[in-house]
């Protein structure tokens, strides 16, 4: 347990989960995570901002005791997902006089998920404020980062934005405040990819909404805080933009080596044309790494053999997740081999129906890749290069060897 002071009478009272390795029974957490909760004391009233995962409830209570918190007037719940709200039932019993401050939708969720009495809730709307005396909390509705009820809380006088999951990262670290965003580039990007990327259009709107706020510190609900905030805001502006890189991501599986041979040949042909490649063998891949690679790649090539009548299940899973997280790739295609038939290409294309990517003609062959297949793959590499050139991602003079 630990309490960290962010400023006069502003404290981090969350929990670091060093050993958690899976979130939502889906997202790998190779570096653990943290559940950030905060306590703010004003001259007249005090507020808790979020709670922690129920597995860390004991640490949370210890932090409150360590800090000597005897009275809480408001419990702000920016997000109803249980890793932040799961200790709310305990906190609401511990501080029975506290009003639970929520968005309208969040009220519905804390009542249904956590059995919070509706009369305890104080519903706030966009730009509503609560005075703590010499401090003011202002609320910004920010639905779909990444649930429909999410909101941001701005501590006006101290210029701190408590951003809920937005701008977070899954990492267990003793670093509370990051001053050099480069340290957090990869964890922050991976987290964005896994959780925020499907909602990049909504995040654009939210970032416009907070653009005029004077923010000195961003305090998300996972991972370190950012001071100054501009570098993480700049990264997000890039990730949510329509800009893509001259890069091809190739998630694939291969049963007897044919599809892998095709993937490696295509990868070499793309490199020859000046295009960066990121192949991912799905029998070995951490899906979070694949998600991070998908954030800004221009093209996705799915490599799969036909297993009985359709794609390999590892590929189907990766395609399903890709479709869920909706990368901004401009082009996609399929390569692989089959033994006796099936509808693999059509099945994979159908699994990518949420992407706005243009589908480039696939290369799907019977049996082991022969020299004709390898030439087809080189032609595919050329088609991809032409698309990248058209999109201004690749120079007109590719560095092809004679
Ligand atoms: Fe970190 Fe959506 O909860």
């Amino acid at each position: 347990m630990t309490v960290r002071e962010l400023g006069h009478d502003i404290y981090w009272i969350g929990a670091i989960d060093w050993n958690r390795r899976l979130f939502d029974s889906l997202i790998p957490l190779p570096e653990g995570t943290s559940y950030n909760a905060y306590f703010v004391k004003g001259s007249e009233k005090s507020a808790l901002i979020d709670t922690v995962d129920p597995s860390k409830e004991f640490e949370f209570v210890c932090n409150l005791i360590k800090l000597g918190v005897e009275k809480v007037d408001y419990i702000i719940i920016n997000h109803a997902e249980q890793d932040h709200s799961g200790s709310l039932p305990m906190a609401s019993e511990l501080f029975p006089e506290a009003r639970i401050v929520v968005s309208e939708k969040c009220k519905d969720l804390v009542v249904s998920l956590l059995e919070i009495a509706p009369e305890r809730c104080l519903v706030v709307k966009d730009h509503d404020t609560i005075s703590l005396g010499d401090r003011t909390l202002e609320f910004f509705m920010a639905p779909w980062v990444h649930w429909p009820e999410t909101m941001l809380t701005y501590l006006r006088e101290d210029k701190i934005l408590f951003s809920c999951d937005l701008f977070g990262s899954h990492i267990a670290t003793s670093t509370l405040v990051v001053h050099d965003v480069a340290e957090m580039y990869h964890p922050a990007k991976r987290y964005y990819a896994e959780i925020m990327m499907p909602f990049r259009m909504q995040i654009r709107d939210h970032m416009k909404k907070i653009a005029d706020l004077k923010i000195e510190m961003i305090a998300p609900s996972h991972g370190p805080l950012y001071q100054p905030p501009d570098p993480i805001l700049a990264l997000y502006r890039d990730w949510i933009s329509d800009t893509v890189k001259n890069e091809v991501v190739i998630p694939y599986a291969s049963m007897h080596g044919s599809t892998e041979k095709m993937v490696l040949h295509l990868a070499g042909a793309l490199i020859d044309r000046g295009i960066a490649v990121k192949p991912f063998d799905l029998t070995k891949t951490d899906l979070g790494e694949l998600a991070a690679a998908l954030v800004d790649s221009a093209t996705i090539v799915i490599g799969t053999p036909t297993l009985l009548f359709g794609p390999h299940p590892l590929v189907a899973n990766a395609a399903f997740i890709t479709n869920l997280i909706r990368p901004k790739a401009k082009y996609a295609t399929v390569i692989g081999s089959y033994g006796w038939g099936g509808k693999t290409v059509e099945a994979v294309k159908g699994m990518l129906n949420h992407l706005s990517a243009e589908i480039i003609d696939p290369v799907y062959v019977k049996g082991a890749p022969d020299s004709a297949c390898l030439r087809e793959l080189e032609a595919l590499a050329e088609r991809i290069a032409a698309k990248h050139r058209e999109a201004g991602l690749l120079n007109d003079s590719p560095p092809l060897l004679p």
Side-chain angles (χ1 to χ4, degrees):
M1 80 198 85
T2 183
V3 169
R4 318 277 295 269
E5 190 169 13
L6 295 178
H8 177 64
D9 280 342
I10 307 170
Y11 300 91
W12 179 94
I13 53 167
I16 303 172
D17 202 338
W18 300 97
N19 297 318
R20 188 161 180 179
R21 288 294 174 267
L22 197 61
F23 196 85
D24 287 349
S25 299
L26 174 66
I27 299 170
L29 302 178
E31 298 185 271
T33 190
S34 65
Y35 317 108
N36 297 337
Y38 305 92
F39 179 71
V40 181
K41 196 169 180 308
S43 58
E44 294 170 17
K45 298 197 169 170
S46 60
L48 275 179
I49 300 180
D50 293 316
T51 71
V52 300
D53 189 84
S55 64
K56 294 291 179 185
E57 192 170 275
F58 179 74
E59 284 183 37
F60 184 56
V61 172
C62 289
N63 286 345
L64 289 165
I65 293 169
K66 194 172 177 178
L67 195 55
V69 176
E70 293 177 351
K71 182 170 175 290
V72 169
D73 298 285
Y74 301 104
I75 304 174
I76 316 298
I77 297 295
N78 284 320
H79 178 23
E81 193 168 12
Q82 290 87 337
D83 51 327
H84 310 296
S85 69
S87 298
L88 174 61
M90 177 278 299
S92 63
E93 277 191 37
L94 205 56
F95 304 109
E97 73 284 7
R99 299 298 306 275
I100 297 166
V101 181
V102 283
S103 68
E104 182 75 49
K105 188 70 184 169
C106 191
K107 176 181 175 182
D108 173 52
L109 290 173
V110 297
V111 169
S112 63
L113 294 175
L114 303 167
E115 299 182 355
I116 295 296
E119 58 273 18
R120 292 286 303 272
C121 294
L122 173 61
V123 171
V124 288
K125 301 185 294 305
D126 220 12
H127 300 289
D128 278 357
T129 58
I130 286 179
S131 173
L132 304 179
D134 57 351
R135 287 185 153 126
T136 312
L137 296 168
E138 182 173 359
F139 305 99
F140 293 86
M141 299 303 111
W144 294 112
V145 290
H146 58 126
W147 279 20
E149 86 297 3
T150 39
M151 69 177 189
L152 319 176
T153 297
Y154 179 59
L155 185 57
R156 197 183 271 171
E157 291 74 11
D158 302 272
K159 303 180 180 60
I160 301 175
L161 182 70
F162 297 94
S163 60
C164 149
D165 277 344
L166 188 59
F167 310 121
S169 49
H170 282 312
I171 185 168
T173 171
S174 52
T175 300
L176 180 63
V177 182
V178 165
H179 303 294
D180 177 3
V181 79
E183 291 172 33
M184 287 302 300
Y185 178 82
H186 191 68
K189 185 177 188 182
R190 178 180 164 126
Y191 176 97
Y192 165 81
E194 292 165 332
I195 297 161
M196 295 295 157
M197 189 155 68
F199 307 105
R200 70 187 178 99
M201 294 306 172
Q202 286 87 345
I203 295 172
R204 277 186 194 183
D205 292 341
H206 303 329
M207 287 184 69
K208 276 184 208 152
K209 191 184 275 187
I210 62 170
D212 293 332
L213 281 184
K214 292 190 187 339
I215 301 171
E216 290 186 356
M217 178 185 281
I218 287 182
S221 53
H222 294 288
L225 290 60
Y226 293 95
Q227 186 179 44
D230 309 84
I232 188 71
L233 292 171
L235 286 178
Y236 262 71
R237 276 195 290 275
D238 179 38
W239 294 336
I240 63 176
S241 74
D242 293 329
T243 305
V244 289
K245 286 184 183 164
N246 178 33
E247 192 172 276
V248 177
V249 172
I250 316 177
Y252 73 95
S254 190
M255 291 162 67
H256 299 289
S258 295
T259 297
E260 182 162 61
K261 190 173 176 186
M262 294 175 70
V263 166
L264 298 180
H265 194 78
L266 176 66
L270 290 166
I271 292 168
D272 285 346
R273 286 162 176 78
I275 299 172
V277 292
K278 290 187 176 172
F280 289 90
D281 176 347
L282 294 168
T283 64
K284 303 179 176 74
T285 294
D286 171 335
L287 288 173
E289 291 301 307
L290 172 60
L294 289 169
V295 168
D296 38 25
S297 284
T299 299
I300 304 168
V301 177
I302 305 274
T304 183
T306 291
L307 176 63
L308 299 182
F309 310 108
H312 190 284
L314 286 174
V315 175
N317 182 48
F320 182 80
I321 288 171
T322 300
N323 203 39
L324 273 183
I325 62 177
R326 298 187 189 199
K328 57 187 174 183
K330 293 184 182 303
Y331 315 104
T333 190
V334 184
I335 63 171
S337 89
Y338 63 95
W340 54 86
K343 295 188 182 300
T344 299
V345 170
E346 289 312 309
V348 173
K349 282 200 241 172
M351 287 173 180
L352 300 177
N353 62 335
H354 286 162
L355 272 57
S356 53
E358 173 187 340
I359 303 292
I360 298 175
D361 286 345
V363 176
Y364 213 71
V365 299
K366 182 174 170 60
D370 57 11
S371 57
C373 169
L374 299 183
R375 282 197 299 279
E376 275 193 61
L377 288 166
E378 286 154 24
L380 174 59
E382 193 48 49
R383 288 199 291 280
I384 293 171
K387 293 291 182 189
H388 284 209
R389 269 184 227 113
E390 270 174 40
L393 303 171
L394 184 60
N395 291 333
D396 285 338
S397 306
L400 248 184
L401 291 172

